[in-house]
Amino acid sequence: MGFRKKNKSPPVLSHEFVIQNHADMVSCLAMIILLGLMFEVTAKFAIMFITVQYNVTQVLDEKSEPVNLYQYGPKDVATVFFYLLIAVILHALIQEYILDKMNRRLHLSKTKHSKFNESGQLAAFYLFSFIWGCSILTAEDFATNPTFLWEGYPHSHMVFQVKFFYICQIAYWLHALPELYFQKVRKEDIPRQLYYICLYVVHITGAYVLNLHRLGLVLLVPHYLVELLFHASRLFYFSDENKQKGFTLWALLFVIARLLTLTLSVLTFGFGLPRTENQGFSLAEGNFNVLTVRMTCLAAICLTQAWMMWKFINFQLKKWREHSQNQASKKKTVSPKSKPHKREPTRGGTANGVVKSEDKTSPRARKAKAS
């Protein structure tokens, strides 16, 4: 991990050296880009990495002041790269100063340790993104006017908050790919994490490039809320295994979020966009309102939701089997033990091979009686 003090330093540029000092290396690279602002020769290139590009000034009304809006373009790759570096640094800070300290107190196993770190990082990101997304949606007033998802398409112009939100989202999920190496993620966990990282990158980038950022933002906010609840519940579960009520609420909200995602997607691609005035395909205008693109996007969303539901059902069945097995084992331990049967006396009054006489008189009495 970055920012850690090690007694024995590994060889320079070895795998262990890069893993231990990756945050320091990334910090140096980010500082070099920031120092580029100090010189006139390099300032033009440094600004391209740090600030949001492609701003357009528009005047909505004659009486109103001009508004700064933004489009997307190739220079956004440089901006995404810079904030990817920032994400790596923040990841290392959260790991070093929060999660590692909690791990030392909990004394978790290796498997739980890896899951605890994953949930801790994702819970922090989901919480920040959920609050940020809610603030943007509140300004857009989506609750009273859901038709803004498709009205006026193509939505080629964005306010600063929306564009910066998407830049940070793409940068974060791209930074998660090298973190698989930096965090020494177990081989059996890599495919699972790669699946959801790639799905996030493809869907968020697709919404950004196809000018569907309104729909993407509306779908991300409830999804992030559900994921935040899951990872927060898992953190509480690792601290105390009796705290499992959060998973019940998560299961309910997970199904609701999937239905909401499918409903809004069908409503937008099946009914809203086909009825807008701007129909056609134009890269210059950013218009992708054609049947092929709409059906491709709708199919991608539906398949993703179906895959998530399949994983969810398998997860619930696995938990149900484990619970039933635990209940069965508890019943076996609680059931009373069978009582031992009394041994019946053998014929002839013998017990353990010894013949017992039924006459309880003494030997002298028996002699006198015989005489």
Side-chain angles (χ1 to χ4, degrees):
M1 305 295 175
F3 307 114
R4 292 187 179 181
K5 295 180 180 179
K6 300 291 182 180
N7 296 328
K8 295 181 180 180
S9 57
V12 180
L13 297 181
S14 63
H15 289 287
E16 194 64 29
F17 179 85
V18 173
I19 290 172
Q20 290 182 11
N21 302 281
H22 74 273
D24 300 324
M25 298 177 181
V26 172
S27 300
C28 293
L29 183 57
M31 287 299 298
I32 292 173
I33 296 175
L34 290 172
L35 288 174
L37 295 172
M38 301 177 62
F39 306 99
E40 186 176 356
V41 179
T42 57
K44 296 180 181 179
F45 299 99
I47 289 174
M48 183 176 63
F49 284 89
I50 300 169
T51 61
V52 179
Q53 302 295 310
Y54 301 104
N55 60 318
V56 178
T57 304
Q58 285 188 349
V59 179
L60 302 178
D61 298 324
E62 294 180 357
K63 298 181 180 179
S64 61
E65 297 181 356
V67 179
N68 289 325
L69 299 176
Y70 294 84
Q71 297 175 324
Y72 69 83
K75 293 181 181 179
D76 290 341
V77 176
T79 311
V80 168
F81 174 74
F82 177 77
Y83 287 99
L84 183 151
L85 302 179
I86 300 299
V88 172
I89 297 170
L90 293 176
H91 189 114
L93 289 172
I94 294 172
Q95 184 68 43
E96 176 69 17
Y97 295 106
I98 299 177
L99 297 179
D100 284 350
K101 291 182 178 180
M102 296 175 68
N103 275 318
R104 295 189 193 102
R105 294 180 181 179
L106 297 175
H107 304 289
L108 300 174
S109 62
K110 290 184 178 181
T111 303
K112 290 184 177 180
H113 183 274
S114 177
K115 292 182 178 180
F116 184 87
N117 290 338
E118 179 189 3
S119 292
Q121 295 287 349
L122 291 176
F125 170 73
Y126 287 139
L127 177 61
F128 175 75
S129 299
F130 173 73
I131 296 173
W132 191 3
C134 285
S135 65
I136 296 174
L137 289 180
T138 304
E140 294 286 347
D141 199 15
F142 165 71
T144 58
N145 184 24
T147 58
F148 97 110
L149 291 174
W150 57 81
E151 280 186 350
Y153 184 85
H155 309 134
S156 56
H157 295 87
M158 299 170 278
V159 296
F160 173 79
Q161 288 291 338
V162 174
K163 175 159 186 176
F164 192 49
F165 177 84
Y166 273 90
I167 291 290
C168 292
Q169 293 294 313
I170 298 171
Y172 180 86
W173 291 113
L174 287 177
H175 112 280
L177 294 173
E179 286 293 343
L180 297 176
Y181 169 71
F182 295 145
Q183 299 296 326
K184 292 183 177 180
V185 177
R186 299 184 307 162
K187 291 182 179 180
E188 54 267 28
D189 291 338
I190 289 178
R192 176 182 60 82
Q193 295 191 28
L194 273 177
Y195 286 149
Y196 71 74
I197 291 171
C198 294
L199 285 174
Y200 275 118
V201 172
V202 170
H203 283 75
I204 295 174
T205 306
Y208 182 68
V209 172
L210 298 176
N211 290 320
L212 296 169
H213 50 83
R214 294 183 181 180
L215 177 64
L217 186 60
V218 171
L219 296 182
L220 276 177
V221 169
H223 174 73
Y224 280 170
L225 174 62
V226 175
E227 293 299 309
L228 169 63
L229 181 60
F230 172 75
H231 289 285
S233 301
R234 195 156 73 163
L235 290 175
F236 285 116
Y237 173 76
F238 288 142
S239 62
D240 185 1
E241 293 187 355
N242 294 323
K243 298 179 180 178
Q244 299 186 21
K245 294 181 179 179
F247 291 110
T248 305
L249 180 59
W250 163 75
L252 177 62
L253 293 179
F254 183 89
V255 177
I256 295 175
R258 303 288 72 78
L259 294 175
L260 179 64
T261 300
L262 290 174
T263 302
L264 292 178
S265 300
V266 172
L267 189 64
T268 302
F269 293 110
F271 298 97
L273 290 177
R275 298 180 181 180
T276 57
E277 296 179 357
N278 294 327
Q279 300 286 329
F281 183 86
S282 176
L283 289 175
E285 297 179 0
N287 188 4
F288 303 93
N289 193 5
V290 292
L291 180 62
T292 305
V293 176
R294 292 198 303 266
M295 290 299 101
T296 302
C297 294
L298 183 60
I301 295 175
C302 291
L303 289 174
T304 302
Q305 301 307 306
W307 178 77
M308 293 175 68
M309 280 300 301
W310 175 255
K311 300 287 288 184
F312 172 78
I313 292 171
N314 288 333
F315 175 78
Q316 294 298 325
L317 289 175
K318 180 181 177 182
K319 290 295 182 183
W320 178 77
R321 292 193 194 99
E322 291 177 355
H323 179 72
S324 60
Q325 289 176 359
N326 292 335
Q327 291 296 326
S329 61
K330 287 180 180 178
K331 288 181 180 179
K332 290 181 180 179
T333 55
V334 172
S335 60
K337 295 181 179 179
S338 57
K339 296 181 180 180
H341 297 286
K342 293 182 179 179
R343 183 175 293 176
E344 296 180 357
T346 56
R347 293 181 180 180
T350 61
N352 295 329
V354 179
V355 178
K356 292 185 178 180
S357 174
E358 294 181 0
D359 190 1
K360 297 182 179 179
T361 57
S362 63
R364 289 182 180 179
R366 289 200 298 271
K367 246 184 206 182
K369 189 175 181 181
S371 60

